[in-house]
Amino acid sequence: EANYIICCDSSGFLSRMALNDNKAGMEGLDRDKINKIIMESSKGSRFYENELKKEEQVNQRIEKMMLQKAKITEQHLKKAQAQVDRMATELERSRDLSRVIVHVDMDAFYAAVEMRDCPELKDKPMAVGSMSMLSTSNYHARKYGVRAAMPGFIAKKLCPDLVIVPTNFDKYRAVSKEIREIFAEYDPHFQPLSLDEAYLDFTDHLDQRQSWPDTLREEQIELPQETVPEMKDLSPVLFEDSPSSSPCLLDSTGFGAAGGGFEVFGKSAEEAVREMRFRIEQKTMLTASAGIAPNMMLAKVCSDKNKPNGQYRLPSTKEAVMDFVQNLPVRKICGIGKVSEKMLNALGISNCFHLSQQMALLSLLFSETAWHHFMQVSLGLGSTHIPRHEERKSMSTERTFREMSKTEEQLSLCRELCEDLAEDLKKEGLKGKTVTLKLKNVKFEVKTRALTLPYAVATVDEIFAVAKDLLKTERDNESPLPLRLRLMGVRISAFASADDKKPLQKSIVGFLQPDKTDSSCASQGIHQKMEKEHLSNHSFQTLTLAPLPLAQKCQREEVTGWRKQRGLEGSKTGEEPQQSFFQRAHAKRMQLQVANASAQEEKHGESTSAVTPTCTQKGLEASTEVHESNCTASDASENDLVAPVEAHASTSGFGSTVSERFTCPVCFRLVETTDLTVFNKHIDQCLSDTSRKPNQIAASDSESDVDLENDHTECEVAGRRRGDSEVEEDKAKSSEEMDSSGAEPQEDQRSSKNKSVQMALSIDCDNKTVTSQRPQSCNNKGPVLVCPICQLTQDSNDLVLFNRHVDLCLNQEVLHELGGQASCPINPPAVTNFKALGKDVRDPPSSPPSKKSKGLGPRNTIDKFFR
DNA sequence: ATACATACC
DNA sequence: TACTGGTATGTAT
């Protein structure tokens, strides 16, 4: 058997070096040519030599396994087979096909975000990362063999025209937040795996969906992106009592006729998932793929099946599952990587049918956990319920650098790492007992050295004291030779907070639990935040008698999505904006709720309150207050005060990704300056204008069109400029610094430019492509423009004015939330809030732009590994 | 408990 | 010039 080792490398390349061409978009490549280039680029390097060594270790492992195999007798196998069969029966009994599990995965996530924000990149091969390492590549680049986890300099050899864009982690995190908001509406307990992917349990959502009246779905015809899920959160009473809230929609069959071939998002799992993906695309302009299956293991595989921008559903029958699994290459299974694949291959196992056939053998050659896993996989079994996100078990930081041999340098670096780690620990309120030092020398050999203390530590000095000792010991071991390092890392584990608090106060563990997680686990921040919002919104529900927790939560999303529509329909065509059913329903509900307040408010006419009714209307105080405290509580934990502005800006349709332009949060115009003081001055100007005559600002702004054009032009120029220089350090840096206010807005400029792109959204529906077009006009009735934020009917029929008004309102809402957080939560005057925000906006972000994503997923999402 | 390997993104 | 960084878990000692 030993000569198998020669066989399996007969391709001439090390299996761990060769191209993984299994990734979506990498079919039919010239593998040999690509591998040759990879090998030539690598050969002789220290990295390569180390890979050779590791490969050899794997080979020896395989050799050992084969020797074991040779000793196995028929008797052994028979006995093992009996055990396997018994277990299979048992597992079979546990098979549960009743759940609908979905795995969603954004397509080439980082690359897609960068392409979205810089159209110049659209038709170029590009990748995100650096000359040293790429995180992901777009599909164009994949044709050249350029893929995630490949060093940039090799990628450049494969594809000299490759554009490498530095990672802009904050941006991906912002997009991630957006998509997670959508996930939460289908499964509030969804489990994020990384910034760009998640598991969702659709079972409950689909149950609810079955009870939706068909008439609701008709609304989907009109605006599929104004999706149904929110509707379930609308009071049924509202729907039944307010048929007039959507008069022109109830007989909206004309839409189908007008556009033709609309996708109606119905009640099936496929339709629901397609709807979710559609919403993701609407909200982020990025596509996602999804897999639908009875368990997590299968869903994950399925999401890859029709990538990119596709989905695949595996029917919930044993036959379909078994059929699917048997043909599955083992490498596709999550948890079976390069090495396991190679070991299995050595046994003649390459797909899951082989796996099931060889289970007895595997049970004798592999560990119990390993073969049990194989067993589950071969039966098509997996988790049918999504586990709650667990507490983190370790936290670490590491850095790669050019050779470092001097003791003092190493010590000071070690201290720096400890400082970073201590800072991160503090953020989550964690203390750990075990400190681990990681070292990688210039030969790429990795060592870890750990020490467990009898008590938990968290401060720089405590951690450094341990790490320093470990480093010293290691140096002493090597002496008189120096440690020639290329990487150093410090990790802390064996956290105390979880173990220590419980025993102390056992009787009130139930009370402490939520508290503890709240304060100590930022890794679950988003999830918890959602849950928290959910909870608080329940109180909102009881207060106002009109629940809509999700509707409330999604208001901005809905509005901004709709704003995009308006941006497209644009002032030029002068067409009616289309309010979605949801928006009208929401508006109606609000009107009902605060009928008195509205009346009051109207009396005040042009006072400040007309612009910020949600802030000042007495009748709204109760509801807005609760709503705000939600936001305050959750936003505060996010530690970035500008985030909401960013969220707004990202869909507001103004601004650019270029750092020397800032979007004024008040007037939404681009301010062209590198000087923050200038920008501040501008904001001050706007603020004083706003507080004086808010409506006039909107109403008198007859240059909106021109402004739009200007902004548009600027943006194009900016885009071109950015495209010219592939990797411009300065810009990248300052762009990061001002990311929250400067990076996203460019979008809608592009949107308005590429009207048709947005207007015609192609939805992949499992092989056929359906194009959904927004109707050019819905009705020619009189102008009834109701601001979805303040619920006020606008007198003007002019879309530009209307847009401005909504912009203003939307922003004021954000400002109000911020103001409430910073100062007095109860009904502060709008102007005060502006000031509060002005400050926050003007202060450049104090924290370094791209920190870690502790617990929120890996920083560099390599979007998938393929063979 | 420690060290190292594998895996995931 | 140049082959990551963060977390979890499995395996072996």
Side-chain angles (χ1 to χ4, degrees):
Chain A
E1 262 97 357
N3 57 8
Y4 170 79
I5 293 154
I6 295 151
C7 289
C8 71
D9 285 340
S10 61
S11 62
F13 303 111
L14 295 174
S15 62
R16 51 188 319 118
M17 295 288 302
L19 172 77
N20 287 338
D21 61 355
N22 207 23
K23 199 176 193 68
M26 302 200 77
E27 302 80 14
L29 303 181
D30 189 346
R31 272 192 60 137
D32 289 350
K33 194 180 158 197
I34 291 168
N35 278 330
K36 199 176 155 217
I37 294 176
I38 293 177
M39 286 318 240
E40 277 167 7
S41 309
S42 308
K43 211 161 346 186
S45 69
R46 288 180 165 138
F47 174 82
Y48 176 79
E49 294 302 319
N50 189 248
E51 289 298 297
L52 269 184
K53 209 174 94 191
K54 288 196 277 184
E55 180 96 0
E56 187 47 36
Q57 281 171 12
V58 171
N59 286 341
Q60 281 182 14
R61 235 178 111 181
I62 290 175
E63 204 170 336
K64 215 172 112 191
M65 178 182 73
M66 298 310 264
L67 287 175
Q68 275 235 260
K69 187 196 168 204
K71 284 191 280 189
I72 292 170
T73 65
E74 278 302 315
Q75 297 289 355
H76 288 134
L77 270 179
K78 230 171 215 162
K79 204 174 155 194
Q81 188 62 53
Q83 209 206 338
V84 163
D85 290 344
R86 235 178 305 132
M87 191 178 178
T89 317
E90 190 130 329
L91 284 172
E92 187 57 51
R93 248 203 302 277
S94 76
R95 188 188 294 273
D96 178 1
L97 294 167
S98 69
R99 310 300 294 178
V100 180
I101 308 295
V102 176
H103 179 255
V104 210
D105 192 346
M106 300 297 288
D107 304 319
F109 186 48
Y110 293 1
V113 172
E114 297 302 337
M115 285 164 77
R116 179 193 72 175
D117 295 345
C118 184
E120 298 282 313
L121 295 171
K122 280 246 154 76
D123 18 70
K124 291 179 183 159
M126 63 84 72
V128 176
S130 69
M131 219 44 171
S132 299
M133 186 52 59
L134 302 180
S135 289
T136 193
S137 57
N138 68 4
Y139 282 80
H140 193 26
R142 289 180 197 187
K143 283 188 259 174
Y144 296 83
V146 173
R147 40 151 300 134
M150 177 180 279
F153 70 91
I154 292 181
K156 275 282 196 183
K157 289 186 180 165
L158 290 172
C159 175
D161 292 334
L162 182 74
V163 179
I164 298 178
V165 179
T167 55
N168 196 340
F169 190 70
D170 288 343
K171 207 153 77 173
Y172 316 141
R173 206 163 30 195
V175 178
S176 183
K177 195 178 164 205
E178 289 190 294
I179 63 175
R180 286 176 186 189
E181 279 163 17
I182 294 176
F183 294 161
E185 291 174 53
Y186 294 86
D187 175 9
H189 307 299
F190 77 97
Q191 185 193 54
L193 294 182
S194 61
L195 286 186
D196 78 313
E197 78 187 82
Y199 283 113
L200 290 81
D201 188 338
F202 259 58
T203 317
D204 294 344
H205 171 77
L206 290 171
D207 282 347
Q208 285 186 354
R209 220 170 158 98
Q210 297 315 306
S211 61
W212 290 352
D214 287 340
T215 50
L216 289 192
R217 278 187 296 121
E218 287 179 25
E219 308 307 329
Q220 299 309 301
I221 297 170
E222 182 206 8
L223 277 180
Q225 68 277 18
E226 310 296 350
T227 49
V228 185
E230 294 83 354
M231 296 183 181
K232 72 170 185 264
D233 299 301
L234 289 174
S235 158
V237 173
L238 175 63
F239 284 103
E240 286 159 21
D241 286 359
S242 323
S244 58
S245 67
S246 56
C248 84
L249 293 168
L250 289 177
D251 57 356
S252 63
T253 48
F255 286 120
F262 290 119
E263 184 62 27
V264 179
F265 296 115
K267 297 175 179 179
S268 72
E270 273 151 309
E271 287 168 305
V273 169
R274 196 171 296 122
E275 172 190 284
M276 178 178 70
R277 291 202 295 118
F278 190 90
R279 292 181 64 195
I280 290 171
E281 187 172 355
Q282 285 297 290
K283 195 176 184 178
T284 68
M285 312 265 285
L286 303 167
T287 62
S289 297
I292 309 163
N295 66 55
M296 292 169 74
M297 177 249 139
L298 293 169
K300 172 105 182 163
V301 180
C302 289
S303 70
D304 202 54
K305 191 107 178 155
N306 285 329
K307 205 166 233 306
N309 198 16
Q311 61 183 60
Y312 180 84
R313 182 178 78 93
L314 178 58
S316 294
T317 65
K318 189 189 164 187
E319 295 68 40
V321 168
M322 291 309 287
D323 210 60
F324 181 81
V325 156
Q326 306 247 304
N327 294 306
L328 206 57
V330 290
R331 185 64 176 83
K332 291 277 186 190
I333 276 81
C334 187
I336 299 183
K338 269 203 254 274
V339 174
S340 303
E341 182 196 25
K342 198 175 172 183
M343 304 229 302
L344 291 171
N345 284 170
L347 298 167
I349 298 167
S350 57
N351 66 35
C352 292
F353 174 70
H354 303 145
L355 202 63
S356 61
Q357 294 301 295
Q358 299 296 311
M359 202 52 70
L361 177 64
L362 294 173
S363 77
L364 297 170
L365 295 177
F366 286 78
S367 72
E368 190 174 73
T369 32
W371 81 261
H372 280 188
H373 180 233
F374 294 152
M375 185 92 192
Q376 300 250 130
V377 167
S378 70
L379 289 168
L381 298 171
S383 302
T384 51
H385 83 277
I386 295 171
R388 221 191 83 75
H389 195 64
E390 288 182 17
E391 307 207 2
R392 75 152 70 242
K393 296 184 171 61
S394 71
M395 186 183 275
S396 66
T397 188
E398 67 187 50
R399 223 158 286 160
T400 294
F401 37 79
R402 276 199 285 285
E403 174 168 354
M404 183 188 287
S405 307
K406 288 188 196 139
T407 304
E408 319 84 67
E409 279 184 304
Q410 291 173 352
L411 270 175
S412 99
L413 175 68
C414 181
R415 174 151 194 114
E416 211 177 287
L417 289 166
C418 291
E419 281 163 6
D420 288 356
L421 188 58
E423 192 186 314
D424 292 337
L425 281 171
K426 196 176 172 186
K427 280 184 205 148
E428 300 190 21
L430 291 170
K431 287 169 164 243
K433 290 202 272 271
T434 304
V435 176
T436 306
L437 180 73
K438 177 176 173 181
L439 304 171
K440 189 192 287 182
N441 66 21
V442 290
K443 287 155 73 184
F444 285 86
E445 294 163 336
V446 179
K447 272 188 183 133
T448 58
R449 294 291 174 260
L451 181 71
T452 301
L453 302 163
Y455 50 90
V457 296
T459 67
V460 186
D461 292 335
E462 290 167 325
I463 298 169
F464 182 56
V466 178
K468 184 186 62 186
D469 268 12
L470 293 169
L471 180 59
K472 184 181 183 319
T473 307
E474 215 36 46
R475 240 185 12 241
D476 292 348
N477 281 344
E478 288 296 291
S479 77
L481 300 173
L483 287 179
R484 302 176 63 196
L485 303 179
R486 82 179 324 270
L487 172 147
M488 190 186 295
V490 181
R491 174 163 70 245
I492 190 156
S493 52
F495 292 129
S497 63
D499 302 336
D500 277 6
K501 286 180 188 172
K502 274 183 208 165
L504 277 175
Q505 305 180 338
K506 247 180 188 153
S507 56
I508 52 164
V509 150
F511 287 97
L512 282 181
Q513 205 83 342
D515 210 313
K516 177 195 71 189
T517 50
D518 258 359
S519 63
S520 73
C521 203
S523 67
Q524 298 168 7
I526 297 231
H527 207 118
Q528 278 170 7
K529 182 171 151 185
M530 286 169 173
E531 282 176 353
K532 203 154 62 176
E533 263 176 88
H534 225 67
L535 277 176
S536 337
N537 275 319
H538 279 303
S539 35
F540 174 65
Q541 176 171 348
T542 51
L543 263 179
T544 62
L545 305 174
L548 324 193
L550 289 175
Q552 193 71 26
K553 191 170 63 189
C554 290
Q555 180 174 334
R556 195 170 306 143
E557 175 202 333
E558 291 302 326
V559 170
T560 51
W562 172 50
R563 285 181 42 76
K564 280 186 187 168
Q565 296 292 326
R566 292 185 295 122
L568 295 170
E569 301 270 311
S571 24
K572 285 173 207 156
T573 58
E575 273 168 41
E576 298 287 334
Q578 310 269 326
Q579 267 188 301
S580 75
F581 181 83
F582 166 71
Q583 285 152 357
R584 275 188 302 274
H586 179 68
K588 188 82 185 173
R589 174 177 60 80
M590 294 303 282
Q591 281 172 0
L592 290 174
Q593 265 178 35
V594 297
N596 286 339
S598 295
Q600 264 182 27
E601 199 277 325
E602 273 159 32
K603 269 185 229 161
H604 291 325
E606 354 232 62
S607 75
T608 306
S609 67
V611 183
T612 56
T614 50
C615 300
T616 54
Q617 281 178 37
K618 280 207 154 37
L620 272 174
E621 273 179 32
S623 56
T624 50
E625 200 180 322
V626 173
H627 181 69
E628 275 156 28
S629 58
N630 294 344
C631 297
T632 304
S634 47
D635 286 349
S637 69
E638 282 292 283
N639 90 15
D640 48 354
L641 287 171
V642 285
V645 174
E646 174 184 8
H648 178 171
S650 69
T651 46
S652 68
F654 297 83
S656 91
T657 52
V658 181
S659 53
E660 55 267 28
R661 277 173 199 74
F662 304 136
T663 304
C664 170
V666 181
C667 74
F668 280 89
R669 295 205 195 129
L670 278 175
V671 180
E672 177 130 12
T673 177
T674 43
D675 188 350
L676 281 182
T677 333
V678 175
F679 183 48
N680 287 341
K681 231 175 154 181
H682 170 95
I683 295 177
D684 281 334
Q685 187 59 49
C686 276
L687 290 174
S688 53
D689 286 351
T690 307
S691 56
R692 242 185 287 117
K693 38 170 194 174
N695 278 341
Q696 276 72 358
I697 282 193
S700 67
D701 196 346
S702 57
E703 293 168 39
S704 323
D705 269 351
V706 176
D707 289 350
L708 258 173
E709 270 321 296
N710 288 344
D711 292 347
H712 183 171
T713 313
E714 280 173 25
C715 200
E716 277 189 290
V717 172
R720 226 174 283 135
R721 219 184 319 171
R722 185 173 162 174
D724 286 345
S725 53
E726 299 169 359
V727 182
E728 253 187 279
E729 289 300 326
D730 299 7
K731 286 188 182 163
K733 237 182 269 162
S734 43
S735 153
E736 268 188 355
E737 274 160 26
M738 283 306 294
D739 192 46
S740 53
S741 56
E744 297 280 358
Q746 180 183 2
E747 259 161 286
D748 283 31
Q749 314 271 306
R750 182 204 50 237
S751 306
S752 38
K753 184 165 111 188
N754 300 329
K755 233 184 231 181
S756 53
V757 174
Q758 269 258 321
M759 294 284 289
L761 284 147
S762 65
I763 320 160
D764 177 295
C765 39
D766 299 339
N767 294 334
K768 74 169 184 269
T769 294
V770 172
T771 297
S772 160
Q773 269 191 328
R774 257 176 65 62
Q776 290 299 310
S777 87
C778 152
N779 61 55
N780 295 317
K781 288 178 203 163
V784 190
L785 303 185
V786 179
C787 171
I789 304 298
C790 71
Q791 318 298 339
L792 289 182
T793 303
Q794 302 301 296
D795 352 1
S796 170
N797 192 16
D798 185 336
L799 274 184
V800 177
L801 302 185
F802 185 63
N803 283 347
R804 288 255 176 231
H805 170 91
V806 178
D807 283 339
L808 220 52
C809 263
L810 200 55
N811 219 31
Q812 299 236 356
E813 191 184 46
V814 172
L815 297 180
H816 186 58
E817 286 170 19
L818 287 171
Q821 175 183 322
S823 52
C824 135
I826 301 172
N827 196 24
V831 176
T832 310
N833 286 323
F834 269 129
K835 288 296 182 193
L837 173 81
K839 182 178 178 301
D840 291 331
V841 161
R842 286 174 245 171
D843 289 336
S846 54
S847 60
S850 171
K851 245 286 175 181
K852 283 173 239 188
S853 66
K854 288 281 154 73
L856 295 178
R859 184 157 32 175
N860 302 317
T861 293
I862 294 165
D863 40 353
K864 203 147 286 165
F865 276 93
F866 293 82
R867 280 177 301 166

